[in-house]
């Protein structure tokens, strides 16, 4: 739901910017009216609150105070990320959901993989765009994991295999889509049609608003979320500047401010998301309340220490994504 205050703030800012640029009240009024008409015509409404709540606050969360404990990439610290072993380990270790990354092989098979290459997680090398599914099946997805001996020979699963396993284990799925908006929307729509239970047990998330908008176009009944980390254009996750050139760094900071404003004032409403996935360091009680007033749940990532988890469960009372259900592990940005 877009509050009246949001609308006034959004269109006032647009009017002021256009007025400064054109010095014409007529043009400012016309362009602001066009933006308003665009939002009215092309924005997607949020899915019903009851459906979003089933996904984000399922009854099975009672043991954790209503908070979902979501295993990041299936719990990449406890088992090889984005594998069937990770999904099973996450369930065994008490996760209520898993976050899984969607990618595609060169022959268009939807699989679980975070990177665009197989180098970091397998014993293979090269981009997925040059690797077909039969070639991918020959790789060991546990080859680079700290518990490689325990999970030796683990394969990269297909999206279909992972979805069926999660349904069997009654795990909520957070589908994380990095790109390929058309291919991802088509593949996920097919999954939802094959397995209607997903409408109440899964959510599609992405850093890219165009992915979420395309998913809502393909199937407006799917619960969706935008993922965001403030200052992501100018700084790495640990705060280190991305660029050594001062002018470039400052230019990116300006773009960061614009991007952050767009996420909080425009994009969430255009896409009709039900949740906002935010890097853990930027979440507070006030921030949670800001989104709650708009009918949007906050989900924190990546929460990897016992102290942080306690804070998220007992103070913030919001869902969180973690790399491990068993122990503290290094920060993940």
């Amino acid at each position: 739901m877009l509050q009246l205050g949001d609308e006034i703030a959004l269109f006032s800012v647009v009017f002021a910017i256009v007025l400064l640029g054109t010095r014409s009240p007529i043009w400012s009024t016309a362009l602001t009216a066009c933006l308003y008409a665009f939002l009215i015509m092309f924005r997607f409404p949020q899915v019903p609150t009851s459906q979003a709540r089933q996904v984000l606050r399922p009854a099975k969360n009672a043991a954790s105070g209503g908070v979902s404990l979501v295993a990041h990439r299936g719990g990449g610290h406890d088992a090889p990320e984005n594998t069937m072993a990770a999904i099973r380990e996450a369930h065994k270790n008490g996760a209520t959901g898993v976050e899984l990354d969607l990618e595609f092989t060169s022959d268009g098979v939807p699989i679980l993989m975070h990177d665009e290459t197989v180098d970091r997680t397998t014993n293979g090398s090269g981009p997925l765009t040059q690797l077909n599914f039969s070639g991918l099946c020959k790789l060991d997805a546990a080859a680079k994991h700290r518990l490689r001996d325990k999970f030796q020979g683990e394969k990269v699963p297909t999206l279909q295999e992972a979805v069926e396993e999660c349904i069997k284990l009654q795990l909520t799925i957070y589908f994380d889509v990095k790109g390929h908006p058309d291919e991802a929307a088509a593949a996920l729509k097919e999954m939802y049609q094959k397995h209607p239970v997903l409408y109440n047990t899964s959510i599609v998330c992405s850093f890219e608003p165009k992915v979420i908008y395309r998913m809502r176009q393909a199937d407006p009944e799917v619960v969706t979320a935008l993922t965001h980390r403030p200052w992501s254009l100018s700084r790495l996750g640990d705060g280190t500047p991305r660029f050594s050139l001062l002018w470039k760094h400052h230019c990116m900071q300006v773009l960061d401010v614009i991007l952050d404003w767009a996420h909080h004032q425009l994009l969430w409403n255009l896409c009709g998301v039900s949740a906002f996935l935010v890097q853990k360091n930027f979440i507070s009680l006030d921030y949670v309340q800001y989104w709650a007033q708009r009918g949007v749940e906050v989900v924190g990532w990546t929460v990897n220490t016992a102290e942080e988890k306690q804070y998220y469960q007992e103070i913030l009372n919001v869902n969180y994504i973690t790399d491990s259900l068993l122990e503290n592990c290094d920060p993940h940005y």
Side-chain angles (χ1 to χ4, degrees):
M1 65 190 82
L2 184 63
Q3 297 191 333
L4 179 60
D6 288 337
E7 291 187 336
I8 294 173
L10 170 61
F11 295 111
S12 296
V13 169
V14 172
F15 181 86
I17 291 173
V18 177
L19 184 61
L20 285 172
T22 65
R23 299 182 182 275
S24 169
I26 296 176
W27 274 108
S28 301
T29 302
L31 290 174
T32 303
C34 286
L35 176 61
Y36 179 76
F38 174 83
L39 277 178
I40 295 298
M41 291 173 62
F42 295 106
R43 71 184 178 192
F44 283 96
Q46 293 171 306
V47 300
T49 302
S50 57
Q51 180 189 353
R53 189 164 185 83
Q54 276 189 275
V55 173
L56 295 160
R57 298 279 181 166
K60 62 186 176 184
N61 290 1
S64 55
V67 172
S68 283
L69 318 181
V70 183
H72 188 222
R73 305 178 193 173
H77 182 76
D78 303 331
E81 67 179 57
N82 284 308
T83 63
M84 301 294 281
I87 293 170
R88 292 168 185 145
E89 287 291 308
H91 176 259
K92 184 179 76 173
N93 296 332
T96 50
V98 290
E99 183 259 8
L100 304 173
D101 297 293
L102 175 60
E103 262 294 351
F104 295 86
T105 60
S106 63
D107 48 347
V109 178
I111 58 163
L112 299 193
M113 179 75 65
H114 177 272
D115 300 355
E116 294 179 348
T117 72
V118 298
D119 301 58
R120 183 177 60 84
T121 56
T122 77
N123 57 343
S125 64
L128 285 169
T129 54
Q130 298 177 12
L131 192 63
N132 60 27
F133 182 65
S134 62
L136 189 73
C137 289
K138 299 174 184 176
L139 302 181
D140 184 352
K144 306 289 180 65
H145 195 264
R146 67 187 190 94
L147 302 175
R148 64 181 67 87
D149 293 338
K150 177 180 178 181
F151 297 103
Q152 186 176 11
E154 190 67 26
K155 300 302 179 185
V156 176
T158 64
L159 175 65
Q160 176 73 31
E161 291 171 333
V163 165
E164 290 177 352
E165 187 68 14
C166 289
I167 292 173
K168 173 185 171 184
L169 298 175
Q170 296 185 326
L171 288 169
T172 301
I173 308 173
Y174 284 56
F175 294 111
D176 188 24
V177 184
K178 295 292 189 293
H180 318 287
D182 293 332
E183 296 89 340
L188 288 170
K189 181 178 180 179
E190 182 180 350
M191 285 297 106
Y192 280 87
Q193 290 176 338
K194 283 185 178 179
H195 307 285
V197 67
L198 290 174
Y199 286 104
N200 294 317
T201 60
S202 71
I203 182 169
V204 178
C205 320
S206 182
F207 278 95
E208 300 183 26
K210 64 181 179 182
V211 170
I212 298 305
Y213 195 82
R214 184 67 190 90
M215 187 70 242
R216 297 303 307 278
Q217 285 181 314
D219 191 338
E221 305 305 316
V222 172
V223 181
T224 55
L226 282 170
T227 307
H228 182 54
R229 177 171 65 80
W231 307 109
S232 59
L233 299 180
S234 60
R235 296 183 180 275
L236 301 174
D238 61 0
T240 305
R242 287 186 183 273
F243 307 101
S244 57
L245 294 174
L246 198 58
W247 69 267
K248 196 169 187 178
H249 175 68
H250 288 319
C251 285
M252 289 299 106
Q253 284 185 311
V254 171
L255 292 178
D256 270 324
V257 171
I258 295 171
L259 181 64
D260 192 71
W261 177 85
H263 271 84
H264 289 80
Q265 300 295 332
L266 178 64
L267 295 173
W268 75 270
N269 182 49
L270 182 64
C271 297
V273 298
S274 301
F276 205 67
L277 278 58
V278 186
Q279 206 274 335
K280 63 179 181 181
N281 295 339
F282 298 93
I283 299 176
S284 64
L285 283 170
D286 287 343
Y287 192 74
V288 173
Q289 183 62 25
Y290 171 89
W291 283 113
Q293 291 171 353
R294 290 151 181 81
V296 176
E297 287 261 3
V298 171
V299 180
W301 57 271
T302 305
V303 180
N304 281 348
T305 69
E307 293 80 7
E308 290 173 338
K309 292 173 183 178
Q310 183 178 16
Y311 176 68
Y312 269 76
Q313 288 185 233
E314 298 179 6
I315 306 299
L316 295 179
N317 190 34
V318 299
N319 300 344
Y320 63 82
I321 298 172
T322 180
D323 285 311
S324 177
L325 279 300
L326 299 176
E327 60 188 7
N328 293 349
C329 56
D330 293 335
H332 193 113
Y333 303 106

